[in-house]
Amino acid sequence: MFTTFRTAMQKRALYNRTRRELEALPTRLAVEDLGIFPGDARSIASNAVYGR
């Protein structure tokens, strides 16, 4: 039970860090070089961490 909780907390921390980093990217870099929009940071982070 504690292992499951710890894993969930680690994933949540990774999701939050990934989302913040994506949102912090300069808009020009994100759009022109990476082809992502800062508004999509939540869905990109969710897919990267949780696979959804």
Side-chain angles (χ1 to χ4, degrees), residues 3 6 11 17 19 28 35 40 49:
T3 304
R6 182 177 31 207
K11 283 186 175 186
R17 185 173 64 235
R19 183 181 48 81
R28 185 173 181 187
D40 295 336
V49 175

Side-chain angles (χ1 to χ4, degrees), residues 1-19:
M1 181 169 134
F2 290 111
T3 304
T4 303
F5 179 71
R6 182 177 31 207
T7 301
M9 294 303 294
Q10 289 171 337
K11 283 186 175 186
R12 185 63 179 184
L14 179 58
Y15 164 80
N16 286 332
R17 185 173 64 235
T18 304
R19 183 181 48 81

Side-chain angles (χ1 to χ4, degrees), residues 6-46:
R6 182 177 31 207
T7 301
M9 294 303 294
Q10 289 171 337
K11 283 186 175 186
R12 185 63 179 184
L14 179 58
Y15 164 80
N16 286 332
R17 185 173 64 235
T18 304
R19 183 181 48 81
R20 280 193 310 269
E21 288 177 5
L22 289 171
E23 289 174 340
L25 286 174
T27 303
R28 185 173 181 187
L29 171 73
V31 174
E32 292 179 10
D33 292 345
L34 301 175
I36 61 173
F37 296 93
D40 295 336
R42 289 178 188 225
S43 63
I44 294 169
S46 179

